[in-house]
Amino acid sequence: MFPFCLSEKFKFATWVAISLTLAFLIPMALGWPQPSTAATTVMLIASTGSRRESLAKGTLRVLGTIAGAIIGLVLVGFFAQERLLYMLAVSLVVTVVFYIRNAYLADPTLFMLTGVMILMMFNGGDAEGAFLYGLDRTYMTVFGVVVYTLVGVFVFPPHVEQNLRQLAEDLGEIQHQLFLLISRTAVEQGEELDTQEPESSEINSPQKNVSELIPALYAAQEALEQRYNTLSTECSEISAYKKEWDYALFYYRQVTELLLFAAKSRDQLSSYSHDYIENYQQLVAEIDQLFQQVPIAWDREDDKVQQKALSVVYDADKLEVADHLTRGTTVTSGFLFGKLHEKLANLKRTICCIDSVTGRIPFHEDLPAPQSAFNWWDAENAKSAVKVMVTYWLTGVIWILFNPPGGYNFVVFCTLFVSILSFLPIHPVLLLILFSLGFIFSVPSYVFILPQMALGSELAIFIFIYTFVGFYVFKGPITIFFLIGMFTLGISNEMTYHFGIILTIVTLFYLVVLMVIFSYYFPFSSRPEHMFLVMRERFFRHVSGVIACHQNLTPSMWSRAKLGWHLVTLKVTMKKLQLWGSKVNTAHYELAPEKITDFSRQCELLCHHLISLTKAEPRLRSNKLVMKTRTAYKDKVIPELARQLASLNVSKLIQTDKDKPILSASENYKALEKQLDGFFETLELSDYSKSDIAGFYIFLNLKKNIFDSLVQSKATSDAIHWQQLTQSRF
């Protein structure tokens, strides 16, 4: 069993299996009605929620369940005799609730349980028994929430802080590798970093070049921030030292930004900086030592050793006779080394304060505003809400006219599963196969196993094994369709074995699966090819919007709000572009998957560059040299190139003459760079501070990165035959 029993998948499957088994057996042992309601609640939470459990989260789920039950009973009371008015009110309320559920960036099961309770309160049109029916449903749902929460807290509790520490150490290792590459190449007088291999014995991972480390650095930084944002509000271990963790994430982000600029500017910095800084090797050695000390700081409760500021010693004689470009890049290099040393020292001191009884952070930072807990502007969330509305009324009409097996439960399950599975990259045929697989397991169990059981322990073993297999083999919402097979058995204290009963239940769920398949294509298509095309158009539209907002030197409140909307939607769209691109059936379209991967990777880099420019924008606006440059030379090349990509009609073949505007833009951009070089030659550097000069080069580098990413995105886009993806196929 070792190390199989220690895997996270094994622990999670065991934890859910124990929860679902207890949710079934405890109500049955106490004679409570509807034990399957508690088990269904456990299944929904485990399939759609996060794997981190806490008492606070369980409390919120209970409150959401009670709120949904109250809303549902109020609607029943208002429209007890008016079925159509009741359905209209329920459809509107449930659509709003499930839209909020999709927009919520944390654990969505809070709002999902609210919506489920609203749907379940109707009792199939029986207004007289609706109140008691609703109380029973509410009680058992709350019981299922409590059981799942307690088991999750006490059985295999995850060590959240250790997980965050591991992510932080992985990020620090990549940062260290990138710094060693940059600094070593500078010492070796400007050799190409993309062909240079590090020789330090301190790098234990496979050796990579700069072009490979930059995407890895972006990914590691994002993984750490996402994990922390998910846990910081619900985990007491993190909340006790939230300030220290916030500062640590802040310094990790700043070190990443400094390294990325130095990596992108390696040609200039490598060519000029080390010859004009007398203590260059000492600077590299001190920063290298700090990188090595940061992982050790996690095991130290306090560190009161005051880190001395890094002093950069310039060769005054050489700088005096050097040209303006050389002097500017040298000052920029020294500024970056000083900032990198400062941020690493603060990071080390901050990490020492985490879990320390006496350690306190001695400095203050203006941290960025926390991200919103909701993403209100996601088009797929709105489309999912429309799907819920359409599904509810379509199944409601079928229920009223034809009374299918299960009655009103057919409406409830269809609406619920459509809301959960909307715009997931899962082909509906897979759902049909999974349910059929669960049916293959459940029917023989119904015929040969359940009738032979006489002890509760035997039933417990059966439920545990069935649930464990489902959650160990499958993951995510698709697990629901395998576990539905167990709920077709109708397990209760008084079992009536009749093939007609199980056939009716199976027919109900097959109808539900068919409705889910129908919603896959109507009213909005979820085909990967269609979604990939939609995300491509939306991505470049928001890229153009972000660049257009940055062109405004004096942005109004409306412009800043518009920029924030473009950025939020851009980041979400970039992730969806990668997701749906990976699901495209390239064999059907005779398309190499590497082309889609390259295109998605270039779009991701472009997104990161735009985010970096946005974060640097407040500092750039206070830079006199940058503002003087932006006023004298307005950039028209990058906005025009972004508009060309945003206006590309993928339903038509991309012609070769589309490259002409790109070539023209490249020539115009090179001409603009020469003009800026000439402009810089006319300046007197003594009139500006070192931070202003460094900010000027950072600004130029950020703009150049965006231009290069736009060109590369266009090149990788041209390699894909977009017209093929517009062809309809079922």
Side-chain angles (χ1 to χ4, degrees):
M1 296 290 288
F2 182 83
F4 171 74
C5 61
L6 300 180
S7 67
E8 291 300 321
K9 183 186 294 187
F10 180 90
K11 292 179 180 178
F12 179 67
T14 303
W15 156 23
V16 178
I18 293 174
S19 302
L20 198 142
T21 303
L22 293 177
F24 247 128
L25 295 186
I26 292 178
M28 291 175 64
L30 297 177
W32 294 344
Q34 304 183 27
S36 60
T37 301
T40 303
T41 303
V42 171
M43 178 189 69
L44 292 176
I45 297 176
S47 300
T48 60
S50 64
R51 296 193 177 189
R52 167 69 191 177
E53 279 305 303
S54 65
L55 294 176
K57 184 185 294 186
T59 303
L60 289 176
R61 287 174 179 158
V62 170
L63 294 177
T65 301
I66 296 175
I70 293 174
I71 295 173
L73 290 175
V74 168
L75 293 177
V76 171
F78 272 112
F79 306 104
Q81 306 300 327
E82 300 290 340
R83 183 168 59 181
L84 292 180
L85 288 178
Y86 171 81
M87 293 180 66
L88 176 61
V90 168
S91 64
L92 293 174
V93 173
V94 167
T95 298
V96 173
V97 170
F98 281 124
Y99 173 75
I100 297 175
R101 181 250 177 198
N102 291 326
Y104 190 49
L105 300 178
D107 187 1
T109 53
L110 166 64
F111 297 101
M112 182 193 68
L113 291 175
T114 303
V116 169
M117 294 308 301
I118 294 174
L119 288 171
M120 286 183 173
M121 290 300 104
F122 191 41
N123 192 23
D126 182 10
E128 295 182 0
F131 184 75
L132 294 178
Y133 176 83
L135 288 181
D136 289 339
R137 285 273 190 172
T138 305
Y139 181 76
M140 295 310 300
T141 302
V142 170
F143 178 76
V145 172
V146 172
V147 168
Y148 183 80
T149 301
L150 293 179
V151 173
V153 170
F154 295 106
V155 178
F156 298 130
H159 300 286
V160 177
E161 186 173 324
Q162 293 182 7
N163 295 340
L164 279 179
R165 173 179 171 178
Q166 184 60 50
L167 290 173
E169 290 182 351
D170 293 342
L171 173 60
E173 182 180 357
I174 297 175
Q175 291 175 338
H176 192 193
Q177 291 184 38
L178 186 57
F179 173 75
L180 289 177
L181 279 175
I182 297 169
S183 60
R184 181 178 296 110
T185 305
V187 172
E188 294 174 357
Q189 302 183 9
E191 293 184 7
E192 284 292 336
L193 285 185
D194 290 341
T195 59
Q196 177 79 12
E197 295 183 357
E199 300 174 359
S200 174
S201 60
E202 298 168 359
I203 304 179
N204 298 321
S205 60
Q207 298 177 353
K208 299 179 180 180
N209 55 35
V210 171
S211 61
E212 295 173 332
L213 283 176
I214 288 177
L217 184 58
Y218 277 128
Q221 181 72 45
E222 186 175 1
L224 176 61
E225 292 181 352
Q226 285 185 346
R227 184 63 175 167
Y228 175 69
N229 291 334
T230 302
L231 299 174
S232 59
T233 58
E234 64 185 46
C235 176
S236 58
E237 302 173 32
I238 304 301
S239 302
Y241 294 92
K242 192 173 187 307
K243 179 182 177 181
E244 288 78 6
W245 276 105
D246 287 341
Y247 272 56
L249 267 292
F250 175 74
Y251 289 128
Y252 270 119
R253 164 58 68 179
Q254 290 200 323
V255 170
T256 295
E257 292 175 354
L258 291 170
L259 287 173
L260 287 172
F261 171 73
K264 286 294 184 179
S265 301
R266 61 188 183 275
D267 294 334
Q268 289 182 339
L269 298 181
S270 300
S271 301
Y272 299 110
S273 58
H274 65 278
D275 283 336
Y276 296 90
I277 299 178
E278 293 183 349
N279 61 336
Y280 184 86
Q281 294 186 3
Q282 179 185 353
L283 300 179
V284 172
E286 290 189 20
I287 296 175
D288 181 36
Q289 184 179 12
L290 274 178
F291 269 115
Q292 298 178 35
Q293 291 174 354
V294 167
I296 303 175
W298 289 100
D299 298 321
R300 302 176 62 178
E301 291 189 359
D302 197 4
D303 183 14
K304 297 184 179 180
V305 178
Q306 191 69 27
Q307 195 76 33
K308 295 181 179 179
L310 188 67
S311 177
V312 182
V313 181
Y314 298 98
D315 192 327
D317 295 335
K318 286 186 177 181
L319 280 181
E320 187 176 353
V321 298
D323 56 81
H324 284 266
L325 183 62
T326 301
R327 292 170 63 187
T329 52
T330 302
V331 170
T332 302
S333 181
F335 176 82
L336 287 174
F337 275 120
K339 282 292 183 181
L340 189 59
H341 185 275
E342 175 190 344
K343 301 307 177 185
L344 282 170
N346 290 346
L347 174 61
K348 174 190 170 186
R349 184 70 181 272
T350 301
I351 290 176
C352 288
C353 295
I354 296 177
D355 290 340
S356 174
V357 178
T358 59
R360 293 294 180 269
I361 299 176
F363 31 80
H364 173 73
E365 296 283 358
D366 293 327
L367 300 179
Q371 295 181 351
S372 173
F374 294 90
N375 179 19
W376 299 113
W377 306 109
D378 192 314
E380 275 62 51
N381 291 344
K383 292 178 182 178
S384 297
V386 174
K387 280 190 175 185
V388 168
M389 173 71 78
V390 172
T391 302
Y392 182 85
W393 277 103
L394 181 59
T395 54
V397 170
I398 295 175
W399 167 56
I400 294 173
L401 297 180
F402 303 103
N403 192 23
Y408 186 72
N409 286 330
F410 171 69
V411 181
V412 173
F413 286 123
C414 287
T415 306
L416 175 62
F417 290 155
V418 166
S419 68
I420 293 175
L421 300 169
S422 178
F423 292 107
L424 285 183
I426 306 170
H427 197 279
V429 175
L430 175 62
L431 304 180
L432 192 62
I433 295 174
L434 283 175
F435 177 67
S436 299
L437 184 63
F439 181 61
I440 291 173
F441 277 93
S442 62
V443 170
S445 301
Y446 185 81
V447 175
F448 299 107
I449 298 178
L450 289 180
Q452 309 303 322
M453 291 183 179
L455 301 176
S457 58
E458 297 174 340
L459 180 61
I461 294 174
F462 171 78
I463 296 175
F464 179 89
I465 293 176
Y466 198 107
T467 307
F468 179 86
V469 171
F471 279 93
Y472 189 83
V473 175
F474 308 104
K475 62 180 181 179
I478 63 174
T479 310
I480 295 174
F481 282 84
F482 179 78
L483 290 182
I484 281 178
M486 182 172 65
F487 290 93
T488 61
L489 300 176
I491 297 175
S492 63
N493 280 328
E494 296 180 1
M495 293 288 294
T496 301
Y497 294 99
H498 192 285
F499 191 75
I501 297 177
I502 192 171
L503 185 60
T504 301
I505 299 175
V506 169
T507 303
L508 164 65
F509 284 112
Y510 265 117
L511 291 175
V512 171
V513 174
L514 292 177
M515 283 302 304
V516 172
I517 294 176
F518 176 77
S519 69
Y520 184 83
Y521 297 98
F522 182 84
F524 304 104
S525 175
S526 300
R527 293 187 302 112
E529 302 82 12
H530 172 76
M531 296 302 300
F532 187 52
L533 291 173
V534 170
M535 296 307 147
R536 185 227 175 273
E537 182 274 333
R538 186 185 303 169
F539 177 82
F540 285 115
R541 176 158 45 86
H542 287 286
V543 165
S544 180
V546 170
I547 294 174
C549 291
H550 282 302
Q551 292 297 103
N552 192 351
L553 300 182
T554 56
S556 61
M557 185 179 296
W558 167 251
S559 297
R560 288 193 292 268
K562 189 177 179 181
L563 174 61
W565 170 64
H566 281 304
L567 279 174
V568 169
T569 311
L570 180 68
K571 289 187 284 188
V572 174
T573 304
M574 184 266 295
K575 296 177 182 178
K576 292 183 179 180
L577 181 73
Q578 293 177 318
L579 175 64
W580 291 108
S582 64
K583 300 299 179 180
V584 173
N585 187 358
T586 54
H588 176 81
Y589 296 102
E590 298 181 357
L591 177 66
E594 294 80 11
K595 294 182 179 180
I596 293 180
T597 303
D598 292 341
F599 174 71
S600 300
R601 186 182 297 114
Q602 290 301 327
C603 291
E604 181 183 18
L605 289 175
L606 175 59
C607 179
H608 286 308
H609 291 322
L610 289 173
I611 294 173
S612 299
L613 176 62
T614 303
K615 291 183 177 180
E617 188 72 13
R619 297 192 298 271
L620 296 176
R621 293 189 189 281
S622 61
N623 190 313
K624 296 185 295 182
L625 183 56
V626 172
M627 293 305 295
K628 183 176 181 180
T629 306
R630 296 180 70 177
T631 303
Y633 300 94
K634 188 173 183 180
D635 183 14
K636 298 181 180 179
V637 179
I638 292 179
E640 179 60 29
L641 185 55
R643 281 194 293 268
Q644 291 177 16
L645 285 169
S647 61
L648 178 63
N649 187 356
V650 298
S651 63
K652 299 179 181 179
L653 284 174
I654 300 175
Q655 304 295 336
T656 55
D657 58 0
K658 289 287 184 180
D659 293 333
K660 293 182 180 180
I662 303 297
L663 295 175
S664 176
S666 300
E667 294 174 358
N668 293 337
Y669 194 81
K670 291 179 181 178
L672 180 61
E673 285 185 326
K674 291 181 180 179
Q675 291 178 1
L676 290 175
D677 290 341
F679 168 76
F680 196 73
E681 292 286 344
T682 62
L683 296 177
E684 185 60 44
L685 293 182
S686 59
D687 296 339
Y688 300 94
S689 65
K690 293 180 180 178
S691 61
D692 285 343
I693 297 172
F696 174 80
Y697 277 95
I698 290 174
F699 170 71
L700 292 184
N701 182 74
L702 290 172
K703 299 287 283 188
K704 187 176 186 300
N705 290 342
I706 292 173
F707 176 80
D708 291 340
S709 291
L710 285 170
V711 173
Q712 291 298 321
S713 297
K714 175 64 169 61
T716 54
S717 176
D718 289 349
I720 301 174
H721 298 290
W722 296 100
Q723 190 184 34
Q724 293 185 13
L725 300 181
T726 62
Q727 298 174 359
S728 300
R729 71 182 184 92
F730 186 75

